[in-house]
Amino acid sequence: MADHHEKVLPPTDDLLCGRWPNGSMKAAAVMDVNKVGQVEVEIPGPELGYVLVAPTTVGICGTDLELLHGTASYVRDGRATMPHVFGHEWVGRVVAIAGNCQYSRQLEIGDRVVGQTMLSCGGCRACQRGHRNECSQLKEVGLYGQQGAAAEFIRLPAQSLTKVPPGVDDFAAALAEPAVTVLAALDKVGVFPGERVLVFGTGTMGLLAVQMARRVAGTVDVVGIDDAGIGAALRMGAEHAFLPGEARDGDYDVVIEASGAVPALLEALRVADVGGRIAAVGVPNDPLPAVDASELVLRGVTMTGVRHGLDYYERALRLFAEGVLSAKGMIADVFELADVDQAFELLERGRRAAPKVALSLTPRP
């Protein structure tokens, strides 16, 4: 009887589709708290069922800043160690598949793909019940347990990759990762034509939520703190824009909290109407102070935490292909891998007309 714990041998050349390089590769990494730079790391070797991808565009977001500052839970609890190759918002091209060329009919060499951030085990209780994003053995690309995409190559399970439709450029494709969380939020709370929607935050997820809510509900308002973000939200379809504290009590059927600010989450409770639904997609760094639970009960308000949108990647890309979602006005600047420190500097301190900063990678020939 075969030993079920026997290690599977790497595929031989006749079980490889494409050329799987070996040796070292360049990558961008968080070297230590408040320090980023370029490093040389080993190219991950072939494993059956895995695909090697050469990333072309990698988005940098607030979660990456938390990794840089050492405030992310993944750093505090030891799941992420330095140097840490980040990058969970990305698009790239398939270089090699560990299996013969008929191994995966879904992917071919040269295909443009995006990768799911959450990698589930498939065997735990949550996975078996169809709740992959609640996997007890979860790994998250570029966050913990799996090398990120800010590198010349990344190796991922074939089933975690989604092909990018023609007509969706790399910048839009790299936004699929934040877009899936927005789609999951709208699905979970339910948004219907004619409802009143308010979005807190004018970062990447906030602006994507404005675009989507405008399409589904018809009207959407936004709460922001900077002129550039508010201006972008108005151009993308927001009808009214408010500063924190200005929106009226009980005015909204649905509230999307995308800023991650604790005061915004508290204000969401105030502005939600009786029977209102709140989707929390921003992740606060500070604990939530005491909340009057009687308000939730007596007003019938529902608050839902949204833990990513693992099953929405194909839909997100299709919405970009159909023009429902757009990357226009979302990317502030693009930097080469060697200039990763400048990219983080702009994201944290620079004046930006758009929320997203990206890295451009040139794959090896």
Side-chain angles (χ1 to χ4, degrees):
M1 180 179 294
D3 182 358
H4 291 291
H5 299 288
E6 182 180 358
K7 183 177 179 182
V8 177
L9 295 176
T12 56
D13 287 345
D14 60 343
L15 287 177
L16 281 176
C17 184
R19 177 182 172 274
W20 197 298
N22 56 27
S24 63
M25 64 179 178
K26 294 182 175 63
V30 177
M31 309 296 292
D32 205 339
V33 175
N34 295 326
K35 182 180 179 182
V36 293
Q38 190 169 290
V39 294
E40 291 270 342
V41 297
E42 289 298 306
I43 298 172
E47 286 188 30
L48 286 173
Y50 282 73
V51 175
L52 191 70
V53 182
T56 54
T57 300
V58 179
I60 307 176
C61 75
T63 303
D64 298 312
L65 277 179
E66 292 173 8
L67 287 168
L68 176 64
H69 297 323
T71 57
S73 61
Y74 327 115
V75 177
R76 295 199 306 267
D77 63 19
R79 284 178 291 172
T81 57
M82 308 305 176
H84 177 81
V85 179
F86 60 91
H88 59 280
E89 303 176 7
W90 62 276
V91 60
R93 289 191 179 274
V94 173
V95 171
I97 301 171
N100 62 39
C101 289
Q102 285 72 46
Y103 183 81
S104 172
R105 296 181 180 179
Q106 301 301 315
L107 295 175
E108 297 180 357
I109 305 304
D111 280 347
R112 285 193 308 144
V113 293
V114 298
Q116 297 171 1
T117 296
M118 290 183 168
L119 304 180
S120 54
C121 72
C124 71
R125 181 169 179 264
C127 287
Q128 290 294 301
R129 294 168 65 203
H131 301 296
R132 294 186 300 143
N133 64 329
E134 299 169 9
C135 172
S136 63
Q137 305 298 317
L138 196 67
K139 299 177 182 179
E140 295 195 63
V141 176
L143 301 177
Y144 60 91
Q146 166 65 46
Q147 173 213 304
E152 290 183 272
F153 299 104
I154 183 171
R155 180 189 67 189
L156 288 171
Q159 66 267 22
S160 72
L161 300 172
T162 304
K163 289 174 66 170
V164 178
V168 178
D169 66 28
D170 280 4
F171 294 122
L175 292 174
E177 197 276 344
V180 300
T181 302
V182 173
L183 293 178
L186 297 183
D187 255 10
K188 282 180 176 292
V189 298
V191 179
F192 303 97
E195 290 198 303
R196 301 160 297 175
V197 179
L198 180 67
V199 174
F200 280 88
T202 59
T204 301
M205 282 201 295
L207 293 179
L208 289 170
V210 166
Q211 293 183 50
M212 195 64 215
R214 176 71 174 84
R215 180 64 173 253
V216 176
T219 60
V220 58
D221 295 339
V222 69
V223 175
I225 59 173
D226 69 275
D227 292 341
I230 288 173
L234 291 172
R235 289 192 299 273
M236 293 178 186
E239 187 170 334
H240 301 104
F242 303 106
L243 294 173
E246 290 183 347
R248 294 193 305 182
D249 293 4
D251 241 16
Y252 296 94
D253 302 300
V254 176
V255 182
I256 310 295
E257 202 306 285
S259 72
V262 168
L265 200 55
L266 295 175
E267 189 174 348
L269 294 169
R270 177 179 64 78
V271 300
D273 197 1
V274 173
R277 292 101 65 199
I278 301 169
V281 298
V283 182
N285 282 326
D286 300 315
L288 192 68
V291 174
D292 185 355
S294 67
E295 282 289 295
L296 287 173
V297 176
L298 297 177
R299 293 176 54 232
V301 173
T302 302
M303 180 179 290
T304 302
V306 181
R307 194 187 191 195
H308 196 53
L310 190 52
D311 298 319
Y312 292 79
Y313 279 82
E314 183 190 3
R315 275 177 273 186
L317 289 166
R318 191 166 66 246
L319 291 175
F320 278 110
E322 294 172 354
V324 176
L325 294 175
S326 173
K328 184 178 180 180
M330 299 285 288
I331 311 294
D333 206 347
V334 182
F335 294 84
E336 299 298 320
L337 192 69
D339 299 322
V340 60
D341 55 338
Q342 297 177 36
F344 272 90
E345 180 73 17
L346 177 62
L347 184 65
E348 182 166 29
R349 299 187 179 88
R351 295 179 59 86
R352 309 191 311 278
K356 181 62 63 182
V357 174
L359 296 177
S360 175
L361 294 88
T362 302
R364 290 181 178 181

